[in-house]
Coordinates of all heavy atoms in Angstrom, one line a residue:
Y1 N -95.0 8.5 34.7 CA -93.6 8.2 34.4 C -92.6 8.8 35.4 O -91.4 8.5 35.2 CB -93.2 8.5 33.0 CG -94.0 7.7 32.0 CD1 -95.1 8.3 31.3 CD2 -93.7 6.4 31.7 CE1 -95.9 7.6 30.4 CE2 -94.5 5.7 30.8 CZ -95.6 6.2 30.2 OH -96.3 5.5 29.3
G2 N -93.0 9.5 36.4 CA -92.1 10.0 37.4 C -91.2 11.1 37.1 O -90.4 11.5 37.9
D3 N -91.4 11.8 35.9 CA -90.6 12.9 35.6 C -91.3 13.7 34.5 O -92.2 13.2 33.9 CB -89.2 12.4 35.0 CG -88.1 13.4 35.3 OD1 -88.4 14.6 35.6 OD2 -86.9 13.0 35.2
S4 N -90.8 14.9 34.3 CA -91.4 15.7 33.2 C -91.1 15.1 31.9 O -90.1 14.3 31.7 CB -90.8 17.1 33.2 OG -89.4 17.1 32.9
M5 N -91.9 15.4 30.9 CA -91.7 14.8 29.6 C -90.3 15.1 29.0 O -89.7 14.2 28.4 CB -92.8 15.2 28.6 CG -92.9 14.5 27.3 SD -94.2 15.0 26.2 CE -95.6 14.8 27.2
Y6 N -89.9 16.3 29.2 CA -88.6 16.7 28.6 C -87.4 15.9 29.3 O -86.6 15.3 28.6 CB -88.3 18.2 28.9 CG -86.9 18.6 28.6 CD1 -86.5 18.8 27.2 CD2 -86.0 18.8 29.6 CE1 -85.2 19.2 27.0 CE2 -84.7 19.1 29.3 CZ -84.3 19.3 28.0 OH -83.0 19.7 27.7
S7 N -87.5 15.8 30.7 CA -86.4 15.1 31.4 C -86.5 13.6 31.1 O -85.4 12.9 31.0 CB -86.5 15.4 32.9 OG -86.3 16.7 33.2
Y8 N -87.7 13.1 31.1 CA -87.8 11.6 30.8 C -87.3 11.3 29.4 O -86.5 10.3 29.3 CB -89.3 11.2 30.9 CG -89.5 9.8 30.6 CD1 -89.5 8.8 31.6 CD2 -89.8 9.3 29.3 CE1 -89.7 7.5 31.3 CE2 -90.0 8.0 29.0 CZ -90.0 7.1 30.0 OH -90.2 5.7 29.7
L9 N -87.7 12.0 28.4 CA -87.2 11.7 27.1 C -85.7 11.9 26.9 O -85.1 11.1 26.2 CB -88.0 12.6 26.0 CG -87.7 12.2 24.6 CD1 -88.1 10.8 24.3 CD2 -88.5 13.2 23.7
R10 N -85.2 12.9 27.6 CA -83.7 13.1 27.5 C -83.0 11.9 28.1 O -82.0 11.4 27.6 CB -83.4 14.4 28.3 CG -82.0 14.8 28.2 CD -81.9 16.2 28.8 NE -80.6 16.8 28.8 CZ -79.8 17.0 29.9 NH1 -80.3 16.7 31.1 NH2 -78.6 17.5 29.8
R11 N -83.5 11.5 29.3 CA -82.8 10.3 29.9 C -83.0 9.0 29.1 O -82.1 8.2 29.0 CB -83.4 10.1 31.3 CG -82.7 9.0 32.1 CD -83.2 9.0 33.6 NE -84.6 8.6 33.7 CZ -85.6 9.4 34.0 NH1 -85.3 10.7 34.3 NH2 -86.8 8.9 34.1
Y12 N -84.2 8.9 28.5 CA -84.5 7.8 27.6 C -83.5 7.7 26.4 O -82.9 6.7 26.1 CB -85.9 7.8 27.1 CG -86.4 6.6 26.3 CD1 -87.0 5.6 27.0 CD2 -86.2 6.5 25.0 CE1 -87.5 4.5 26.3 CE2 -86.6 5.4 24.3 CZ -87.2 4.4 25.0 OH -87.7 3.2 24.3
R13 N -83.3 8.9 25.8 CA -82.3 9.0 24.7 C -80.9 8.6 25.1 O -80.2 7.8 24.4 CB -82.3 10.4 24.1 CG -83.6 10.9 23.5 CD -83.4 12.3 23.0 NE -84.6 13.0 22.6 CZ -85.2 12.9 21.4 NH1 -84.5 12.3 20.4 NH2 -86.3 13.5 21.1
M14 N -80.5 9.0 26.3 CA -79.2 8.7 26.7 C -79.0 7.3 27.1 O -77.9 6.7 26.8 CB -78.8 9.6 27.9 CG -78.8 11.1 27.7 SD -77.7 11.6 26.3 CE -79.0 12.0 25.0
N15 N -80.0 6.7 27.6 CA -80.0 5.2 27.9 C -79.9 4.4 26.6 O -79.2 3.4 26.6 CB -81.2 4.8 28.7 CG -81.1 5.3 30.2 OD1 -80.0 5.5 30.7 ND2 -82.2 5.5 30.8
V16 N -80.6 4.8 25.6 CA -80.5 4.1 24.3 C -79.1 4.3 23.7 O -78.5 3.3 23.2 CB -81.6 4.7 23.3 CG1 -81.3 4.1 21.9 CG2 -83.0 4.3 23.8
A17 N -78.6 5.5 23.8 CA -77.2 5.8 23.4 C -76.2 4.9 24.1 O -75.3 4.4 23.5 CB -76.9 7.3 23.5
A18 N -76.4 4.8 25.4 CA -75.4 4.0 26.2 C -75.5 2.6 25.8 O -74.4 1.9 25.7 CB -75.8 4.1 27.7
T19 N -76.6 2.0 25.5 CA -76.7 0.7 25.0 C -76.0 0.5 23.7 O -75.3 -0.5 23.5 CB -78.2 0.3 24.9 OG1 -78.9 0.4 26.1 CG2 -78.3 -1.2 24.3
M20 N -76.2 1.4 22.8 CA -75.5 1.4 21.5 C -74.0 1.5 21.7 O -73.2 0.8 21.0 CB -76.0 2.5 20.6 CG -77.5 2.4 20.2 SD -78.1 3.8 19.3 CE -77.2 3.5 17.8
L21 N -73.5 2.3 22.6 CA -72.1 2.5 22.9 C -71.5 1.1 23.4 O -70.3 0.8 23.1 CB -71.8 3.6 23.9 CG -72.0 5.0 23.4 CD1 -72.1 6.0 24.5 CD2 -70.9 5.4 22.4
R22 N -72.3 0.4 24.2 CA -71.8 -0.9 24.7 C -71.8 -2.0 23.7 O -70.9 -2.8 23.6 CB -72.7 -1.3 25.9 CG -72.6 -0.4 27.1 CD -73.2 -1.1 28.3 NE -74.5 -1.5 28.1 CZ -75.6 -0.8 28.4 NH1 -75.5 0.4 28.9 NH2 -76.8 -1.3 28.2
Q23 N -72.9 -2.0 22.8 CA -73.1 -3.2 22.0 C -72.5 -3.0 20.6 O -72.4 -4.0 19.9 CB -74.6 -3.4 21.9 CG -75.2 -3.8 23.2 CD -76.7 -4.1 23.1 OE1 -77.3 -3.9 22.1 NE2 -77.3 -4.6 24.2
D24 N -72.3 -1.8 20.1 CA -71.8 -1.6 18.7 C -70.6 -0.7 18.7 O -70.7 0.5 18.6 CB -72.9 -1.0 17.9 CG -72.6 -1.1 16.4 OD1 -71.4 -1.4 16.1 OD2 -73.4 -0.8 15.6
S25 N -69.4 -1.3 18.9 CA -68.1 -0.6 19.0 C -67.8 0.1 17.6 O -67.0 1.0 17.6 CB -67.0 -1.5 19.4 OG -66.8 -2.6 18.5
K26 N -68.4 -0.4 16.5 CA -68.0 0.1 15.2 C -68.8 1.4 14.9 O -68.4 2.2 14.0 CB -68.3 -0.9 14.1 CG -67.4 -2.1 14.2 CD -67.7 -3.1 13.1 CE -66.8 -4.3 13.2 NZ -67.2 -5.3 12.1
K27 N -69.9 1.7 15.6 CA -70.7 2.8 15.4 C -70.1 4.1 16.0 O -69.8 4.0 17.2 CB -72.1 2.6 15.9 CG -73.2 3.6 15.3 CD -74.5 3.3 15.9 CE -75.1 1.9 15.3 NZ -75.4 2.0 13.9
G28 N -69.9 5.1 15.3 CA -69.2 6.3 15.8 C -70.1 7.1 16.7 O -71.3 7.0 16.7
I29 N -69.5 8.0 17.5 CA -70.3 8.9 18.4 C -71.2 9.8 17.7 O -72.4 9.9 18.1 CB -69.3 9.7 19.3 CG1 -68.3 8.9 20.0 CG2 -70.1 10.6 20.3 CD1 -68.8 7.9 21.0
A30 N -70.8 10.4 16.6 CA -71.7 11.3 15.8 C -72.9 10.5 15.3 O -74.0 11.0 15.3 CB -70.9 11.9 14.7
E31 N -72.6 9.3 14.8 CA -73.7 8.5 14.3 C -74.8 8.1 15.4 O -76.0 8.2 15.1 CB -73.2 7.2 13.7 CG -74.2 6.3 12.9 CD -73.6 5.1 12.3 OE1 -72.4 4.9 12.4 OE2 -74.4 4.3 11.7
I32 N -74.3 7.8 16.5 CA -75.2 7.4 17.6 C -75.9 8.7 18.1 O -77.1 8.6 18.3 CB -74.3 6.9 18.8 CG1 -73.8 5.5 18.5 CG2 -75.2 6.8 20.1 CD1 -72.9 4.9 19.5

């Protein structure tokens, strides 16, 4: 996967969060 498990999973979480921030404006930051 080209990165350590910790760094990969951290980046994966942030990319999922970014998608949610773009697609669901009603969902709060704390909820995401």
Side-chain angles (χ1 to χ4, degrees):
Y1 295 103
D3 209 344
S4 68
M5 192 180 299
Y6 170 79
S7 297
Y8 177 90
L9 187 56
R10 185 169 180 250
R11 188 172 65 251
Y12 188 93
R13 293 178 192 273
M14 296 308 108
N15 286 332
V16 170
T19 300
M20 295 175 69
L21 286 166
R22 294 195 305 268
Q23 296 181 352
D24 192 350
S25 59
K26 295 181 180 179
K27 198 178 292 291
I29 303 298
E31 185 179 359
I32 292 175

